[in-house]
Amino acid sequence: MGTLRNLLGSATIAGDSGILARAQLAVFHQTRTADVTARRNDGRGRLQRGNASLGRTLLPEYPDITLYIEHLRSRISNEPLEEVRLASPFFLRSVDVPIGATKGKRVVELRRLGKRIVFALEDDLFLVLHLMIAGRLRWRPRGTKPVGKIALATFEFPKGTLLATEASSKKRASLHVVRGDDALRAHDPGGLEVLDADLERFREALARESHTIKRALTDPRLFSGIGNAYSDEILHAARLSPVKLTRSLTEDEVQRLFDATQRTLLEWAERLRRETGERFPEKVTAFHQGMAVHGRYGKPCPTCGAPIARIAYADNETNYCARCQTGGRLLADRALSRLLRGDWPRSLEEMEGLRRR
């Protein structure tokens, strides 16, 4: 009983209407499910807070990948890759070019390809690293060996060891060894680099397919380097609903979205640079202090103070502010709205009315 009271604030159990009781049970079920998932994912029985149990939102995006690349450049540019030691047999996904071909090859360039990190080596060789959801990079003293179940591989350089890890039982991170620009292009999803584009090219990519704005921004075939976390922040900055269709946007809305996309990516990349300093970025996450909506479900919007809402689906979710982005309308949640059907509150006012009852 106490848990249900806490979930809906001032709502009481005794005398609740059927609508409120169903809403409480639905929220209670979602919370318990998230708690179990969080304990399972944490691996040590500790409960993670907020949205952190939703694994897909942890995918590194443009600001995080850019930070990795900048720190790698300062450590391994023009240095030979002395050896690659694989700790997981699932990590290396290519067979045409053997991993041994990279031994001793100098790193001539580091670049980003969507959400992938590309190590350009001598002799037209490329290492294409996709960290996926739980993959991370760590810089360690030279000679560090891969230890534990999360280890994927080590890359030995004269100044240190780059350790690739993946804190997940689902081994999704991947490494490909390819030769030549044509083989490298096969790994490019083709999305637009927004920071290199003008408004017209942005508008064309946005309207290429009829999607919700949220889906379009996170589609790597349409836009490069944007995922779940920063798309939430972009849409809040642009004051746009995540479910508005791309082909229904007005000229003013397209302009706002374009400006918000460029500004959000640039500002967060710079912010992460300041926070990390000279240290190698060890704690790459999609949940950053200072974000307006992402990972802040139920907390006040920094702009208007309304509670941040969400749309939960599968192992992902969208966070938004109903007052700033949807004119106060609560968007249907696949789990709760399907359960409550006609009783689903359509606005912040209706939700507050349920709480007061």
Side-chain angles (χ1 to χ4, degrees):
M1 288 295 191
T3 302
L4 292 179
R5 274 195 200 94
N6 293 336
L7 288 172
L8 286 181
S10 60
T12 58
I13 302 303
D16 280 341
S17 67
I19 295 175
L20 182 56
R22 288 163 67 191
Q24 289 171 323
L25 288 172
V27 176
F28 178 70
H29 173 73
Q30 276 201 333
T31 303
R32 289 298 300 273
T33 301
D35 289 355
V36 171
T37 303
R39 290 189 180 96
R40 185 185 301 122
N41 289 346
D42 184 60
R44 294 180 296 277
R46 292 198 302 241
L47 177 62
Q48 298 175 355
R49 296 181 177 273
N51 305 38
S53 64
L54 298 171
R56 284 173 58 187
T57 61
L58 300 178
L59 181 70
E61 302 174 35
Y62 168 83
D64 311 283
I65 296 297
T66 297
L67 194 65
Y68 269 147
I69 289 174
E70 290 174 354
H71 279 266
L72 288 172
R73 280 176 181 154
S74 68
R75 289 164 171 81
I76 66 175
S77 286
N78 295 314
E79 297 287 342
L81 175 57
E82 296 178 337
E83 191 172 6
V84 179
R85 296 190 181 95
L86 298 173
S88 170
F90 304 103
F91 184 45
L92 182 63
R93 306 295 176 87
S94 60
V95 294
D96 291 340
V97 182
I99 189 68
T102 65
K103 187 172 183 177
K105 303 302 182 188
R106 186 171 54 88
V107 178
V108 297
E109 186 184 3
L110 285 142
R111 67 179 80 157
R112 182 179 60 84
L113 192 65
K115 298 188 183 82
R116 295 163 176 81
I117 297 174
V118 177
F119 301 73
L121 307 176
E122 292 177 309
D123 292 344
D124 213 19
L125 289 171
F126 300 93
L127 290 174
V128 184
L129 173 63
H130 198 338
L131 294 171
M132 291 299 291
I133 297 166
R136 296 295 183 267
L137 296 177
R138 307 174 195 283
W139 184 254
R140 294 290 184 265
R142 192 170 185 271
T144 298
K145 301 294 190 295
V147 178
K149 293 182 179 180
I150 67 170
L152 295 176
T154 56
F155 303 82
E156 293 290 343
F157 294 95
K159 296 179 181 178
T161 298
L162 182 66
L163 180 63
T165 66
E166 186 172 22
S168 172
S169 59
K170 298 179 180 179
K171 299 303 181 183
R172 296 174 176 171
S174 65
L175 179 70
H176 289 80
V177 185
V178 300
R179 188 185 298 275
D181 290 335
D182 290 341
L184 179 61
R185 276 193 290 271
H187 292 272
D188 185 359
L192 179 71
E193 293 290 348
V194 179
L195 296 180
D196 298 331
D198 57 18
L199 178 61
E200 186 56 38
R201 292 177 63 202
F202 180 82
R203 182 190 294 108
E204 188 277 328
L206 195 63
R208 190 177 304 154
E209 299 178 12
S210 182
H211 291 315
T212 64
I213 316 175
K214 172 76 174 186
R215 181 179 171 188
L217 287 176
T218 57
D219 187 337
R221 298 172 300 114
L222 300 179
F223 296 101
S224 177
I226 303 174
N228 197 49
Y230 290 103
S231 62
D232 281 351
E233 296 300 292
I234 288 166
L235 289 168
H236 180 265
R239 306 186 308 280
L240 290 171
S241 167
V243 300
K244 192 177 179 79
L245 294 176
T246 52
R247 292 178 179 174
S248 70
L249 294 174
T250 66
E251 285 299 312
D252 175 67
E253 289 171 334
V254 173
Q255 181 72 63
R256 290 197 335 245
L257 184 62
F258 176 65
D259 293 342
T261 302
Q262 290 197 326
R263 185 171 65 251
T264 299
L265 295 179
L266 286 172
E267 287 180 354
W268 272 103
E270 181 57 32
R271 180 169 183 158
L272 296 182
R273 288 188 191 101
R274 292 197 306 269
E275 292 176 354
T276 303
E278 297 300 317
R279 305 184 310 275
F280 192 84
E282 294 279 338
K283 296 181 179 180
V284 173
T285 174
F287 302 100
H288 295 289
Q289 291 293 327
M291 281 189 161
V293 291
H294 186 72
R296 302 189 70 247
Y297 171 62
K299 297 179 181 179
C301 169
T303 301
C304 71
I308 299 302
R310 70 179 174 187
I311 311 169
Y313 44 96
D315 56 350
N316 208 342
E317 71 175 56
T318 293
N319 299 133
Y320 67 98
C321 172
R323 186 171 294 160
C324 292
Q325 296 174 249
T326 65
R329 181 171 63 91
L330 290 176
L331 303 176
D333 179 281
R334 290 187 180 183
L336 282 178
S337 61
R338 186 173 298 168
L339 175 65
L340 298 178
R341 298 186 180 179
D343 296 334
W344 172 252
R346 304 296 179 182
S347 66
L348 290 173
E349 289 72 18
E350 288 185 30
M351 179 63 79
E352 287 304 313
L354 285 177
R355 290 179 185 275
R356 286 194 294 271
R357 294 178 63 181

